Amino acid sequence: MIHRALFPRSLLSSSSWPRSCLSSSFSKLGGGCHGDASRAVSSMPEPCRSSPFSDDESRDIDWDSLGFGLLPTDYMYVMKCSEDENFERGQLSRYGNIELSPAAGVLNYGQGLFEGLKAYRKEDGGLLLFRPHQNALRMRTGAERMCMPSPSVEQFVDAVKQTAIANRRWVPPSGKGSLYLRPLLVGTGPVLGLAPAPEYTFLVYASPVRNYFKEDSGALNLYVETEFVRASRGGTGGVKTISNYAPALKAITRAKSRGFSDVLYLDSVNKRTLEEVSSCNIFLVKGNVISTPATSGTILPGVTRKSVIDIARNRGYEVEERAIDMDELFDAREVFCTGTAVGVAPVGSITCMDKRIEYQTGAGTTCQELYSTLVGIQTGTIEDKNGWTVEIS
């Protein structure tokens, strides 16, 4: 059912809301490959046919206080499919809870993927998406690994566009943050034995966000994790499955209790080469050379990572994608992290084998140069010569 807590009190009391928007009843989405009603195992909020707000009305939000936390918006996009068919048609509905079978594949066996991308508001008020096709392709790769059907690239991008436009009043002003879009692909059909689920749901929801780390514009303080590992060879470290993330909570919680921002993982075999941080990829800078661990199956191929590599090469840097021994942390001039949530974040220090290593941060650094260029392209203040941005309004 849709919880009252998901909506501001003033909105729930408004007589302008259509009754269907706040109904606790659920119905199957029309069209697509759902099978007959007797097979229904999950259902979604009834689609809302009209909105009491204009598309251009902005929320009364203190954008300067925005962090990286869930702030539910008005709409989400939902599309369903059975295992032996293709996704066909989805639709927007009011943001709300979904109903699942206790035997859903995602609940019992973790059969699920997620993506993350952002919509940015330009100075003239228009909206831009950054490389959504790359997220779509990565989801399709992950779906193949997890034995799941996946939306086509066109379906994925269209769903993200619709979600961003429907929630455009939640997109922060230029320079105040972005609208984080979270596509999910999960096995919602019931399954008892270990097997692919018989039904799948693709949905996209959104939340306005600002910085991922509480340090705001300050530098990160990382800890090299030598006990736990993030991924192993032959596993799923290279795809964005939900099952990769809960195991990282133990290490993150322990590191944060000791005053660190996050942990830097090592390879699972020798625990010598760098892998990635819990939520982002890592780069080392020495002279004119930028080095980052190669994505050889255990490391997520980040969209921001890929973009920063291209930007750096275009600006004359030599970029290496290779195995990096942890001893190289002692020789680097700069270290920074990249990811959709974190952007390009400078690392001020890394504690490795009880030794604290400090790095250059701030104005004039390679990190700042790459960050400024990336954000300029994402927000439309720098010409996009690569065709990365998609204007949606």
Side-chain angles (χ1 to χ4, degrees):
M1 61 185 299
I2 301 179
H3 289 181
R4 293 178 63 86
L6 294 175
F7 300 94
R9 185 184 303 274
S10 60
L11 302 190
L12 287 172
S13 61
S14 173
S15 60
S16 59
W17 283 79
R19 182 177 299 275
S20 62
C21 297
L22 301 177
S23 170
S24 61
S25 62
F26 288 82
S27 63
K28 294 285 287 178
L29 292 178
C33 45
H34 301 179
D36 55 57
S38 63
R39 293 182 58 210
V41 294
S42 63
S43 53
M44 315 306 299
E46 187 174 321
C48 188
R49 304 301 179 187
S50 61
S51 171
F53 303 100
S54 69
D55 287 339
D56 295 324
E57 182 180 354
S58 61
R59 295 292 305 157
D60 183 16
I61 293 175
D62 180 3
W63 298 114
D64 292 326
S65 299
L66 195 63
F68 198 94
L70 179 64
L71 185 58
T73 56
D74 298 321
Y75 295 97
M76 61 184 185
Y77 182 96
V78 186
M79 182 164 55
K80 305 189 75 155
C81 182
S82 60
E83 62 176 335
D84 55 349
E85 299 185 41
N86 297 319
F87 285 98
E88 291 184 6
R89 183 170 67 88
Q91 61 190 33
L92 291 166
S93 63
R94 286 292 184 180
Y95 180 93
N97 290 355
I98 63 174
E99 185 179 87
L100 288 176
S101 164
V106 66
L107 298 181
N108 290 263
Y109 298 115
Q111 195 183 22
L113 298 162
F114 74 91
E115 280 295 327
L117 63 161
K118 292 176 177 177
Y120 301 86
R121 191 177 294 278
K122 300 194 300 180
E123 292 180 349
D124 64 6
L127 302 184
L128 289 176
L129 294 174
F130 185 72
R131 308 194 77 174
H133 296 81
Q134 292 294 314
N135 294 93
L137 289 169
R138 188 169 65 179
M139 175 168 277
R140 289 184 65 81
T141 298
E144 193 279 330
R145 176 64 176 85
M146 300 295 287
C147 295
M148 306 167 72
S150 177
S152 68
V153 171
E154 293 74 17
Q155 287 173 322
F156 181 102
V157 174
D158 180 65
V160 169
K161 286 180 178 179
Q162 288 195 47
T163 307
I165 292 171
N167 294 299
R168 64 171 295 151
R169 66 196 185 92
W170 295 86
V171 183
S174 180
K176 298 291 186 178
S178 58
L179 184 70
Y180 185 86
L181 295 151
R182 171 60 61 83
L184 288 169
L185 178 62
V186 293
T188 45
V191 56
L192 187 59
L194 181 56
E199 184 185 66
Y200 296 87
T201 298
F202 172 74
L203 75 86
V204 185
Y205 68 92
S207 177
V209 299
R210 203 160 188 179
N211 293 313
Y212 181 79
F213 290 105
K214 293 182 179 179
E215 289 89 342
D216 194 44
S217 59
L220 306 181
N221 177 24
L222 303 180
Y223 175 80
V224 175
E225 178 58 55
T226 56
E227 178 182 357
F228 300 110
V229 296
R230 176 188 172 273
S232 58
R233 295 176 185 175
T236 58
V239 299
K240 205 167 177 64
T241 173
I242 62 174
S243 55
N244 288 343
Y245 292 86
L249 295 176
K250 181 74 171 180
I252 295 173
T253 301
R254 185 171 65 178
K256 289 188 175 182
S257 71
R258 297 173 180 175
F260 297 101
S261 308
D262 208 332
V263 298
L264 171 58
Y265 289 100
L266 303 174
D267 74 282
S268 63
V269 179
N270 300 310
K271 294 188 178 179
R272 288 291 309 177
T273 57
L274 307 185
E275 291 271 292
E276 62 178 89
V277 180
S278 300
S279 57
C280 44
N281 298 114
I282 191 164
F283 289 77
L284 279 63
V285 182
K286 185 177 181 181
N288 195 53
V289 179
I290 301 175
S291 304
T292 188
T295 55
S296 55
T298 58
I299 297 173
L300 187 72
V303 176
T304 307
R305 173 189 181 277
K306 179 182 178 71
S307 305
V308 165
I309 288 174
D310 289 344
I311 291 172
R313 286 174 174 159
N314 289 337
R315 298 187 73 86
Y317 290 95
E318 179 184 349
V319 181
E320 303 175 334
E321 297 181 73
R322 59 177 178 83
I324 301 175
D325 190 275
M326 66 177 178
D327 284 346
E328 295 187 50
L329 292 172
F330 294 92
D331 299 325
R333 182 185 77 239
E334 289 180 52
V335 175
F336 61 87
C337 296
T338 65
T340 297
V342 305
V344 182
V347 174
S349 70
I350 296 179
T351 298
C352 176
M353 307 296 288
D354 296 326
K355 296 181 180 179
R356 180 183 171 94
I357 315 159
E358 297 189 349
Y359 302 101
Q360 294 181 16
T361 61
T365 61
T366 298
C367 174
Q368 183 62 40
E369 177 187 356
L370 298 176
Y371 168 80
S372 298
T373 304
L374 177 69
V375 171
I377 295 172
Q378 291 173 331
T379 58
T381 60
I382 292 178
E383 182 184 358
D384 175 18
K385 298 180 180 180
N386 300 295
W388 288 347
T389 56
V390 176
E391 189 157 4
I392 56 176
S393 63

